[in-house]
Structure formats: structure tokens, C-alpha cells
Amino acid sequence: KTYMTNLIQTDIPINSGNSGGALVDESGKIIGITTLKITSAESMSFSVPIDIVKPIIKKIESEGTYKNVTLEIVGYDKYSIDSYNSSINLNEGGVFVAIVNQNSESELAGIKSGDIIIKVDNYKVDNMLELRQYIYEKNPGEEVNLTIKRDKKVFDVSVKLKDKE
């Protein structure tokens, strides 16, 4: 399954093959990159917010290439947790780990389903957008330190980022 969160919903029609274009505001400022459309709904499409794209653009400018990195988890934040389980309270922020891919670097580091990621490299994360923005600045093979909350205990684990193929 693929879960997409933090998207901008628009009523701008996107034809097949036209995704990837800029979504601009009335001033001509880029606010997102068109990503997908709902085929069962007329003129309903979604864009990735520019704040998610900026670290990728910076990488391409500085290194000439970008490799997508992943923690190999499915996570939810306080804005999307109700679609997974409305009884989980994330009012204090963090990212709820719903699924950890088997044999992944995250599983090897000891992350489990039900954990809450509250920091990455000592930066507090309140939502998936912040977590993505941070790790998108990294390269495959680099390690990040995650501060995890599990059953009222807080501890750190080091996770090697994987190239998302």
C-alpha cells in the first residue's frame, strides 16, 4: 500500500502524462508540484507542497542528482491518524509508526509498530511533513538518530537510510 499525506487538493484538471508541473498561486509563486488525479472524480487533483520538494531541488543543484531515501516505515501524524486509528492521541506531536517493513534498517534498529518518533537528530518532529523534509536532505546509507517513545519510555535508535527504489 502507498499512503500519501500532506498533499494540496485542487480542482485543476490534470490530464494523463501532465503530472509534475508547477502549481502556482495568484502571484505566480510555486506552491506545489502536481502529482496525481482522481480518475473517478472530475477535476480533482493533488500536488506535493513545495516545502517537501525544496530539499530535493537543493540536492539536485548541489550534487547534480537526487536519490530518494526512506526509513521503510508507514507513519501517521496528528493530521492523518484518524484514518488509521482514531483512538491514538498525537496531540503532543510526533509520527506514529503503523508499519515497519520486514528486514528493513528500521526493523533492525529496533523500531516497532506502535512506536512514536518524536525527534530526528535532536530536531522535534510534529508531523510527517517535517520528518520527510529532514530525511530528504540525506543520502542513502547515511544514518539518522531517532528518538522513540514506546509505552511511556523514551530512547534513541540509529537508523541507516535506504535508497527508495
Side-chain angles (χ1 to χ4, degrees), residues 56-65:
I56 297 168
I57 294 169
K58 285 180 187 173
K59 272 279 210 206
I60 292 170
E61 288 175 339
S62 67
E63 298 178 17
T65 187

Side-chain angles (χ1 to χ4, degrees), residues 6 21-22 61 99:
N6 301 105
E61 288 175 339
I99 300 170

Side-chain angles (χ1 to χ4, degrees), residues 59 65-69 135-136 138-140 162-164:
K59 272 279 210 206
T65 187
Y66 176 77
K67 292 194 177 185
N68 197 2
V69 294
I135 68 167
Y136 285 176
K138 305 293 183 185
N139 292 310
K162 178 98 173 171
D163 186 358
K164 187 175 184 178

Side-chain angles (χ1 to χ4, degrees), residues 61-86:
E61 288 175 339
S62 67
E63 298 178 17
T65 187
Y66 176 77
K67 292 194 177 185
N68 197 2
V69 294
T70 179
L71 286 170
E72 301 180 282
I73 64 163
V74 174
Y76 294 91
D77 56 33
K78 63 184 171 187
Y79 304 108
S80 61
I81 193 69
D82 284 344
S83 65
Y84 176 74
N85 184 334
S86 61

Side-chain angles (χ1 to χ4, degrees), residues 129-144:
L129 177 61
E130 292 174 350
L131 181 59
R132 280 193 193 109
Q133 284 174 303
Y134 188 85
I135 68 167
Y136 285 176
E137 295 177 3
K138 305 293 183 185
N139 292 310
E142 284 187 59
E143 289 191 359
V144 292

Side-chain angles (χ1 to χ4, degrees), residues 18-128:
N18 286 347
S19 65
L23 176 67
V24 297
D25 66 12
E26 64 276 357
S27 305
K29 183 179 173 185
I30 298 175
I31 60 170
I33 305 296
T34 57
T35 304
L36 70 117
K37 72 174 185 172
I38 304 295
T39 55
S40 60
E42 179 121 2
S43 297
M44 184 182 290
S45 58
F46 296 89
S47 298
V48 174
I50 196 65
D51 288 340
I52 291 177
V53 181
K54 283 180 182 178
I56 297 168
I57 294 169
K58 285 180 187 173
K59 272 279 210 206
I60 292 170
E61 288 175 339
S62 67
E63 298 178 17
T65 187
Y66 176 77
K67 292 194 177 185
N68 197 2
V69 294
T70 179
L71 286 170
E72 301 180 282
I73 64 163
V74 174
Y76 294 91
D77 56 33
K78 63 184 171 187
Y79 304 108
S80 61
I81 193 69
D82 284 344
S83 65
Y84 176 74
N85 184 334
S86 61
S87 68
I88 299 167
N89 182 348
L90 290 177
N91 288 336
E92 295 177 21
V95 172
F96 178 82
V97 178
I99 300 170
V100 181
N101 291 1
Q102 281 189 321
N103 302 317
S104 67
E105 295 292 335
S106 288
E107 183 182 62
L108 294 172
I111 297 175
K112 298 179 188 259
S113 177
D115 287 350
I116 298 174
I117 301 170
I118 55 176
K119 290 183 184 177
V120 57
D121 290 339
N122 288 319
Y123 294 101
K124 187 174 188 303
V125 289
D126 286 322
N127 54 57
M128 283 298 296

